[in-house]
C-alpha cells in the first residue's frame, strides 16, 4: 500500500466563459489564487485575453474540468461583477434561445446587453431622482398667485403638479423649462422634497380612474388569471379596448409588488403608449428601444433590474431586460413582424417572451386585432387561451368598406377620381383623412421615355427610388444614393421620367388639390426628424381637418380619434408576392389601416383602390372579417404543408460571389442529408437564391429545411451547425440559421 499520491482536493477552479464571437462554444479560463476567495459566479463579467486582445466575457459556469490541459489555460485577468449581472431566469432564457435558434451563445448574450455593460462599465448607482410637490401655500393660494396671461406656463405646471403627490423632475422638464420650475419654487408654490428612489405608493397608485369595462372586456378580464404562467391571446378588433385590459391587469400585478413588461412593435408608438401608462399610474416607467443613448439604455436597464421601474415599456430587445420582480408580460400587436430580428441573432421576441413567462411562472398576454396564424394555431391546439372582443369599446362603430376599381377610373399621383371626391367631401365636412400607400419616396422607378432603361442600384437587385425633395435616387435596401438622371445612360435620350407613385408624390398632389388643408406625410423619411411624430399628433389631436399620407408606420396601433376616412391607394401589392406570408401580411395591414378610421364618435369609411376589386381574398376580408380571412389562409397553409402546420428552418448564406454562397449551402445539404436523409420526417429544398438575390453587393442563398416535428429539426440543426463551422468554405461566406423565418 502506498500513500504517496497527494490529495486531489486542490483541483484548480475553472470558469466557462462566453465571449462575443461567431463560434458556437464557450472558452475555459483558470481562476487564479488572486480571485479564488471570491470567484466569479455564473452571470458575472470577467476580463480575459482572447487571441491577441483582451475582451469582456460572461461566466456561464464554474467547473473543475476542462477538455484542455489545465496548464495550457489562460487565467482570468479581472473580475468585473461581484454579483451576477443577469438573474438566473434570464440566463436560462438566453441558453434556451441560443439552443432553439442555433445561434452562438456569446453573440446572443452580448448583443442583448447595453453597450456600456458590453464594454465592461459597472452598473450605475441607484439613480438620484428629484421629486417635486405643491406646497401648502401652493395648494391654498397658488392659482390666485399665478393669475394673469403672462403666467400661463407656471399655472399649467401647477395644475400638472397638483395631479400627483410627487412628480419626477425628469418628467416635468420634458414639457416645461427649468426657469418655469424655478419661478414657482421661488414663489413658494412648489418644493423639491426628496432625493432617491421611491417605493411604489399603492395608496395613490392610480392617477385616473380605470374605465368600467364593457361585458366582453369584463369577460376577458375575468378569464385572465394574473398568478402563474398562462398565455392569453386577446383577439380584439381595433378599438375594442385591449389596452384598457392591459392597464387593469398591470394594476393588479403592481398591487402585489410586481413589475410589468410591455412590448410594442414600433418605436414611434412609444410616446403615445408611454403617455397612456403615465397618465394612469403613479409609478416609474422605464423605456427600452433603439432611440435611446447608451447612457439612457443603461439607466432603463438598471431601473428594471433593480425593481425601481414598475413598468418596462419597449420594443423587441426589451425581452432581454432583467426585472427584479416580474409579474406579467404583454405583447401588443403580437402579429407584427418587427418582433422577429431579421439579421444576426434571428430571434422572435414574441416567442421568447412566452418562454420567459413560462420560466418566470407569470402570465403573458398577446394582443392583436389581426393575430398571426401561428398564434391562432396555438389557440386551436389549446396552448394559448383565446379571448375574443368582437365589438369596439365605447360608442365607436366598425368602419364600412368600399372598393374603387382602378381599371375604370382616372388616376392622378395614385389617387383615383372618386377617391379624391370622397376626400373632398370629408374635408368639406371638417373631418380628417388618412391616405395609405406603402411606398415612400416620390416614385418607385426612374425610366427613360425612349428606350425603357430603368435606373438600378449597383449593389442590389432593385430599382432606385426617386426622392424629389432631396433630388436623389436612393436604394431602399442598401441606402446607395446618387443624383437624379437627366440623360439616359443607355440611349442618351433626354426624357427621364419618374414612374409610379410614392408617398411624396401623393402628398404633393393632395396638397395641390387642397391648398388650405394641412397635408402631413408620415414615413421613415419625415419621421427621422426629432419631434416629427409629436407635431403630427398635435395637428391630429387639434381635431381640425387634415390629410395624413403615410406608409405602414401609420397602420400600427396609433389611436386617432378624428379620422373618418381611410383611403388605401394600392391594395394589390401584397396579392402577388411569392412569399408564403404575403397574404397574411396583406390582410393584417389592410385591417389595421382600416382600423384607424372612425375610432371616435363619427362612423368611419375605408376605400380600397385595386385593379382586382373582385379578388376573392379582398372579398372575404372586406365583406366578412379578418377572422374568416385567417381561417381561409390557415386552410391553404395546411394544404401546402407550410407553417404553422409544418416547422420551417432556413440556413442562409451570403457571399461576394454567388457560387460561394450556393456551393456552401450545397455542402450544407449534403451534411444534413447524412444526418437526416430526405424523406418522411425532414424535407430539403434548395439551395435557392433569396427573393432578392443580390443585396448590398452580397449574393444571398437559402437552404430550406422543413419537417413535421420540431424535435427532429432541432436535433438535425444542433449537429449540422458544428459540421458547417468546420467546412473550409465557411470562411468565404457569412452564414446563419433562421428558425421560424418571417421572410424567405
Ligand atoms: P385597442 O387597444 O383594442 O385598440 P383601446 O384600449 O385603445 O383599444 O380603446 C379604444 C378606445 O375606446 C379608447 O379611446 C378607449 O379609451 C376607449 N375605451 C376602451 N374601453 C372602454 C370602455 N370600457 N368604456 C368606454 N370607452 C372605452
Ligand atoms: Zn442597393
Amino acid at each position: 500500500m502506498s500513500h504517496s499520491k497527494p490529495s486531489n482536493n486542490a483541483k484548480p477552479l475553472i470558469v466557462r466563459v462566453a465571449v462575443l464571437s461567431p463560434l458556437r462554444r464557450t472558452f475555459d479560463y483558470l481562476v487564479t489564487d488572486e480571485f479564488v476567495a471570491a470567484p466569479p459566479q455564473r452571470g458575472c463579467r470577467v476580463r480575459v485575453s482572447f487571441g491577441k486582445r483582451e475582451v469582456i466575457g460572461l461566466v456561464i459556469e464554474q467547473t473543475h474540468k476542462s477538455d484542455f490541459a489545465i496548464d495550457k489555460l489562460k487565467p482570468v485577468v479581472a473580475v468585473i461583477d461581484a454579483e451576477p449581472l443577469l438573474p438566473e431566469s434570464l440566463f436560462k432564457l438566453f441558453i434556451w434561445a441560443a439552443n432553439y435558434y442555433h445561434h452562438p451563445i456569446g453573440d446572443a448574450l452580448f448583443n442583448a446587453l447595453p453597450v456600456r455593460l458590453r464594454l465592461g462599465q459597472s452598473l450605475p448607482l441607484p439613480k438620484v431622482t428629484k421629486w417635486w410637490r405643491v406646497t401648502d401655500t401652493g395648494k391654498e393660494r397658488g392659482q390666485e398667485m399665478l393669475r394673469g396671461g403672462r403666467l400661463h406656463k407656471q399655472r399649467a405646471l401647477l395644475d400638472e403638479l397638483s395631479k400627483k403627490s410627487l412628480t419626477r423632475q425628469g418628467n416635468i422638464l420634458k414639457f416645461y423649462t427649468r426657469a418655469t420650475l424655478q419661478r414657482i419654487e421661488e414663489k413658494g408654490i412648489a418644493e423639491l422634497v426628496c432625493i432617491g428612489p421611491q417605493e411604489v405608493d399603492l395608496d395613490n397608485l392610480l392617477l385616473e380612474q380605470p374605465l368600467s369595462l364593457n361585458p366582453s372586456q369584463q369577460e376577458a378580464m375575468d378569464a385572465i388569471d394574473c398568478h402563474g404562467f398562462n398565455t392569453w391571446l386577446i383577439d380584439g378588433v381595433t378599438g375594442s379596448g385591449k389596452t384598457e385590459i392591459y392597464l387593469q391587469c398591470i394594476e393588479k400585478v403592481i398591487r402585489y409588488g410586481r413589475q410589468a413588461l410591455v412590448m410594442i412593435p414600433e418605436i414611434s408608438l412609444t410616446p403615445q403608449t408611454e403617455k397612456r401608462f403615465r397618465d394612469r399610474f403613479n409609478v416609474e416607467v422605464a423605456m427600452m428601444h433603439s432611440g435611446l443613448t447608451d447612457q439612457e439604455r443603461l439607466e432603463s436597464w438598471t431601473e428594471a433590474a433593480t425593481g425601481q421601474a414598475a413598468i418596462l415599456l419597449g420594443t423587441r430587445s426589451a425581452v432581454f431586460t432583467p426585472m427584479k420582480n416580474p409579474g406579467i408580460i404583454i405583447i401588443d400587436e403580437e402579429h407584427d413582424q418587427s418582433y422577429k430580428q431579421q439579421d444576426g441573432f434571428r430571434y422572435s421576441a414574441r416567442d421568447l417572451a412566452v418562454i420567459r413567462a413560462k420560466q418566470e411562472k407569470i402570465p403573458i398576454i398577446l394582443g392583436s386585432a389581426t393575430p398571426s396564424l401561428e398564434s391562432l394555431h396555438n389557440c386551436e391546439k389549446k396552448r394559448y387561451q383565446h379571448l375574443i372582443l368582437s365589438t369596439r369599446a365605447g360608442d365607436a362603430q366598425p368602419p364600412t368598406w368600399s372598393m374603387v376599381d382602378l381599371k375604370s377610373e382616372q388616376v392622378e399621383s395614385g389617387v383615383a377620381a372618386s377617391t379624391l371626391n370622397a376626400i373632398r367631401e370629408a374635408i368639406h365636412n371638417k373631418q380628417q383623412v388618412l391616405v395609405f400607400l406603402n411606398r415612400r419616396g416620390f416614385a418607385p422607378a426612374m425610366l427613360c421615355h425612349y428606350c425603357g432603361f430603368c435606373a438600378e442600384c449597383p449593389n442590389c437587385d432593385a430599382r432606385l427610388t426617386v426622392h424629389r425633395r432631396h433630388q436623389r435616387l436612393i436604394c431602399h435596401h442598401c441606402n446607395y444614393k446618387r443624383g437624379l438622371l437627366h440623360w439616359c445612360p443607355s440611349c442618351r435620350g433626354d426624357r427621364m421620367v419618374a414612374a409610379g407613385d410614392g408617398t411624396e408624390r401623393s402628398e404633393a398632389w393632395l396638397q395641390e388639390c387642397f391648398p388650405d388643408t394641412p397635408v402631413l406625410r408620415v414615413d421613415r423619411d419625415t419621421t427621422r426628424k426629432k419631434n416629427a411624430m409629436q407635431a403630427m399628433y398635435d395637428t391630429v389631436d387639434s381635431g381640425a381637418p387634415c390629410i395624413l399620407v403615410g406608409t405602414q408606420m401609420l397602420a400600427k396601433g396609433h389611436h386617432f380619434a378624428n379620422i373618418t376616412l381611410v383611403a388605401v391607394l394600392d391594395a394589390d401589392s401584397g396579392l402577388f408576392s411569392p412569399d408564403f406570408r404575403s397574404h397574411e401580411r396583406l390582410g393584417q395591414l389592410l385591417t389595421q389601416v382600416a382600423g384607424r378610421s372612425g375610432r371616435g364618435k363619427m362612423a368611419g369609411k375605408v376605400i380600397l383602390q385595386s385593379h382586382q376589386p373582385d379578388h376573392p381574398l379582398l372579398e372575404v376580408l372586406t365583406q366578412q372579417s379578418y377572422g374568416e380571412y385567417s381561417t381561409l389562409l390557415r386552410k391553404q397553409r395546411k394544404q401546402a404543408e407550410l407553417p404553422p402546420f409544418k416547422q420551417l428552418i432556413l440556413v442562409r448564406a451570403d457571399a461576394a460571389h454567388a457560387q460561394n454562397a450556393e456551393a456552401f449551402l450545397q455542402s450544407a445539404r449534403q451534411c444534413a442529408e447524412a444526418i437526416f436523409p430526405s424523406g418522411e420526417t425532414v424535407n430539403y429544398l434548395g439551395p435557392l437564391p433569396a427573393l432578392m438575390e443580390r443585396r448590398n453587393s452580397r449574393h444571398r442563398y437559402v437552404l430550406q429545411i422543413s419537417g413535421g416535428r420540431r424535435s427532429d429539426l432541432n436535433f438535425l440543426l444542433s449537429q449540422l451547425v458544428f459540421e458547417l463551422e468546420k467546412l473550409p468554405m465557411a470562411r468565404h461566406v457569412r452564414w446563419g440559421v433562421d428558425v421560424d423565418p418571417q421572410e424567405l
Side-chain angles (χ1 to χ4, degrees):
M1 264 263 147
S2 118
H3 35 244
S4 60
K5 273 203 172 162
S7 94
N8 238 358
N9 282 348
K11 267 191 182 171
L13 183 63
I14 295 164
V15 281
R16 297 235 146 95
V17 174
V19 302
L20 184 57
S21 140
L23 296 176
R24 286 168 171 74
R25 47 165 294 201
T26 52
F27 299 86
D28 294 352
Y29 289 88
L30 208 56
V31 179
T32 50
D33 293 347
E34 187 185 351
F35 303 118
V36 145
Q41 306 163 47
R42 173 178 167 105
C44 292
R45 286 170 302 166
V46 287
R47 193 179 292 279
V48 291
S49 67
F50 188 72
K52 294 199 181 87
R53 300 170 297 147
E54 263 190 16
V55 299
I56 306 291
L58 256 174
V59 174
I60 300 283
E61 62 177 328
Q62 298 181 345
T63 173
H64 290 285
K65 286 197 232 100
S66 176
D67 296 339
F68 299 90
I70 303 284
D71 53 358
K72 291 270 160 52
L73 293 183
K74 293 185 201 157
V76 168
V77 178
V79 176
I80 297 174
D81 303 305
E83 296 288 323
L85 197 57
L86 294 173
E88 184 62 22
S89 59
L90 203 58
F91 215 87
K92 281 204 190 115
L93 182 70
F94 274 106
I95 291 173
W96 190 93
N99 287 332
Y100 182 83
Y101 292 106
H102 301 283
H103 194 78
I105 176 78
D107 197 73
L109 277 167
F110 276 88
N111 280 312
L113 288 183
V115 174
R116 301 221 159 165
L117 294 180
R118 236 182 277 171
L119 296 174
Q121 194 167 319
S122 48
L123 281 182
L125 295 170
K127 206 162 56 176
V128 174
T129 321
K130 299 187 174 166
W131 300 83
W132 289 81
R133 74 169 173 208
V134 181
T135 58
D136 289 342
T137 317
K139 280 179 197 153
E140 281 160 26
R141 297 193 291 116
Q143 286 299 338
E144 212 174 297
M145 291 163 70
L146 296 177
R147 214 167 267 159
R150 243 174 359 98
L151 302 177
H152 71 279
K153 276 269 158 60
Q154 295 175 34
R155 217 160 44 232
L157 177 53
L158 172 60
D159 285 343
E160 193 69 39
L161 295 181
S162 306
K163 285 187 202 156
K164 300 190 192 181
S165 51
L166 290 173
T167 308
R168 206 164 102 164
Q169 178 163 305
N171 290 342
I172 298 174
L173 294 180
K174 274 187 195 159
F175 305 101
Y176 300 90
T177 63
R178 206 169 275 278
T180 309
L181 190 56
Q182 252 167 19
R183 292 288 125 69
I184 65 168
E185 185 185 20
E186 283 158 12
K187 290 175 187 153
I189 292 173
E191 62 185 352
L192 186 63
V193 274
C194 50
I195 291 172
Q198 286 299 293
E199 293 273 300
V200 172
D201 176 4
L202 287 182
D203 294 333
N204 295 298
L205 177 60
L206 296 183
L207 297 171
E208 62 179 20
Q209 276 312 304
L211 298 171
S212 56
L213 300 177
N214 65 33
S216 24
Q217 281 172 317
Q218 190 62 52
E219 209 174 302
M221 192 69 205
D222 291 344
I224 297 172
D225 175 3
C226 286
H227 299 267
F229 170 68
N230 215 332
T231 311
W232 283 273
L233 174 69
I234 304 188
D235 177 354
V237 298
T238 50
S240 57
K242 297 183 287 298
T243 312
E244 185 59 34
I245 297 179
Y246 306 156
L247 287 164
Q248 299 199 12
C249 289
I250 293 172
E251 182 189 339
K252 280 194 187 170
V253 302
I254 293 179
R255 286 202 187 281
Y256 55 82
R258 298 219 177 179
Q259 298 165 282
L261 166 60
V262 181
M263 306 213 345
I264 53 175
E266 165 76 40
I267 176 172
S268 70
L269 283 170
T270 44
Q272 212 183 9
T273 317
E274 182 188 356
K275 182 168 183 318
R276 262 183 104 170
F277 288 134
R278 287 198 194 280
D279 284 351
R280 172 72 51 98
F281 298 115
N282 180 23
V283 298
E284 294 292 314
V285 181
M287 312 294 285
M288 190 57 98
H289 55 70
S290 60
L292 303 180
T293 64
D294 290 346
Q295 182 60 29
E296 287 168 335
R297 246 173 192 276
L298 185 58
E299 281 169 11
S300 295
W301 208 85
T302 312
E303 282 174 16
T306 56
Q308 247 173 290
I311 300 174
L312 173 65
L313 174 63
T315 48
R316 184 175 60 225
S317 65
V319 73
F320 291 119
T321 308
M323 289 189 289
K324 187 159 182 235
N325 293 309
I328 193 168
I329 303 181
I330 289 162
I331 315 277
D332 196 20
E333 312 289 350
E334 66 85 25
H335 65 279
D336 200 283
Q337 47 176 325
S338 70
Y339 285 123
K340 178 93 199 266
Q341 173 129 315
Q342 296 292 10
D343 52 23
F345 180 23
R346 293 170 178 266
Y347 65 94
S348 156
R350 174 196 64 207
D351 297 347
L352 280 184
V354 174
I355 300 298
R356 181 170 181 182
K358 191 170 173 187
Q359 291 177 348
E360 313 251 30
K361 302 189 179 63
I362 57 173
I364 175 166
I365 302 176
L366 313 180
S368 176
T370 53
S372 62
L373 300 192
E374 274 75 9
S375 293
L376 290 169
H377 183 70
N378 281 327
C379 288
E380 205 171 276
K381 295 274 164 212
K382 304 278 184 262
R383 285 186 280 248
Y384 299 174
Q385 317 298 314
H386 200 174
L387 304 172
I388 298 175
L389 306 177
S390 51
T391 53
R392 285 188 163 181
D395 313 326
Q397 291 302 305
T400 52
W401 298 76
S402 59
M403 303 296 294
V404 165
D405 187 350
L406 286 171
K407 298 193 297 292
S408 62
E409 288 223 24
Q410 185 135 7
V411 182
E412 169 71 52
S413 296
V415 188
S418 60
T419 307
L420 196 64
N421 282 336
I423 297 176
R424 185 165 291 126
E425 192 187 316
I427 297 296
H428 179 78
N429 292 331
K430 304 257 178 288
Q431 296 166 0
Q432 298 182 335
V433 179
L434 191 160
V435 175
F436 176 78
L437 177 60
N438 213 4
R439 265 193 309 265
R440 63 193 172 89
F442 185 75
M446 176 151 252
L447 300 175
C448 170
H449 175 72
Y450 300 108
C451 76
F453 165 89
C454 178
E456 293 194 345
C457 175
N459 312 320
C460 307
D461 290 335
R463 295 185 188 125
L464 294 173
T465 301
V466 183
H467 284 252
R468 198 172 65 170
R469 192 161 304 169
H470 295 113
Q471 292 285 301
R472 283 273 185 284
L473 295 177
I474 301 176
C475 174
H476 284 183
H477 305 283
C478 72
N479 212 25
Y480 166 88
K481 292 187 176 115
R482 56 152 298 148
L484 297 179
L485 289 168
H486 301 288
W487 300 87
C488 174
S490 173
C491 75
R492 310 305 299 159
D494 64 354
R495 258 180 84 187
M496 296 299 291
V497 289
D501 310 302
T503 45
E504 200 186 335
R505 190 198 291 257
S506 303
E507 174 203 14
W509 168 239
L510 288 167
Q511 190 66 80
E512 212 175 302
C513 298
F514 303 97
D516 304 323
T517 305
V519 178
L520 304 164
R521 178 156 57 93
V522 184
D523 56 28
R524 293 255 171 265
D525 298 320
T526 58
T527 53
R528 230 167 254 149
K529 278 193 234 103
K530 236 187 152 187
N531 304 332
M533 282 310 263
Q534 194 52 49
M536 188 263 297
Y537 279 126
D538 289 347
T539 310
V540 176
D541 287 345
S542 77
C546 66
I547 302 175
L548 301 182
V549 182
T551 56
Q552 57 171 350
M553 283 187 82
L554 276 182
K556 297 186 183 183
H558 299 283
H559 183 76
F560 305 121
N562 301 312
I563 287 179
T564 53
L565 174 64
V566 166
V568 178
L569 298 190
D570 178 12
D572 299 340
S573 48
L575 281 176
F576 307 106
S577 156
D579 195 315
F580 75 88
R581 290 189 201 270
S582 64
H583 288 163
E584 179 184 355
R585 294 267 150 69
L586 177 72
Q588 289 165 342
L589 196 57
L590 293 181
T591 309
Q592 292 285 347
V593 191
R596 302 310 119 205
S597 179
R599 287 171 73 101
K601 299 250 169 337
M602 274 173 295
K605 267 196 289 197
V606 187
I607 295 175
L608 277 191
Q609 298 190 166
S610 168
H611 286 97
Q612 305 221 343
D614 307 323
H615 195 290
L617 281 178
L618 293 182
E619 255 177 32
V620 174
L621 193 64
T622 57
Q623 288 168 25
Q624 298 179 43
S625 68
Y626 178 80
E628 259 109 5
Y629 182 83
S630 61
T631 305
L632 179 69
L633 294 189
R634 272 190 290 154
K635 271 193 202 127
Q636 294 174 353
R637 293 268 188 96
K638 190 167 187 179
Q639 269 160 12
E641 306 209 320
L642 285 166
F645 298 92
K646 283 263 171 151
Q647 318 296 333
L648 192 61
I649 293 182
L650 303 181
V651 183
R652 296 177 178 271
D654 63 73
H657 299 287
Q659 64 270 30
N660 285 348
E662 196 176 1
F664 173 80
L665 290 181
Q666 200 64 54
S667 310
R669 179 167 176 164
Q670 278 160 13
C671 292
E673 281 181 313
I675 302 166
F676 238 118
S678 181
E680 298 261 296
T681 49
V682 176
N683 287 291
Y684 302 94
L685 183 63
L688 302 168
L691 279 187
M692 181 185 294
E693 197 257 349
R694 197 169 52 107
R695 181 169 184 169
N696 214 353
S697 301
R698 306 283 294 181
H699 294 267
R700 311 178 316 142
Y701 281 77
V702 296
L703 171 64
Q704 197 173 310
I705 308 177
S706 59
R709 279 208 310 256
R710 174 78 62 191
S711 52
D712 291 342
L713 292 187
N714 255 338
F715 172 78
L716 167 62
L717 262 293
S718 57
Q719 312 272 309
L720 183 62
V721 289
F722 289 106
E723 304 275 331
L724 297 186
E725 271 182 0
K726 283 185 275 177
L727 286 180
M729 244 178 305
R731 267 178 288 143
H732 304 292
V733 299
R734 249 188 344 220
W735 67 275
V737 180
D738 190 351
V739 177
D740 310 327
Q742 283 298 303
E743 54 180 18
L744 291 182

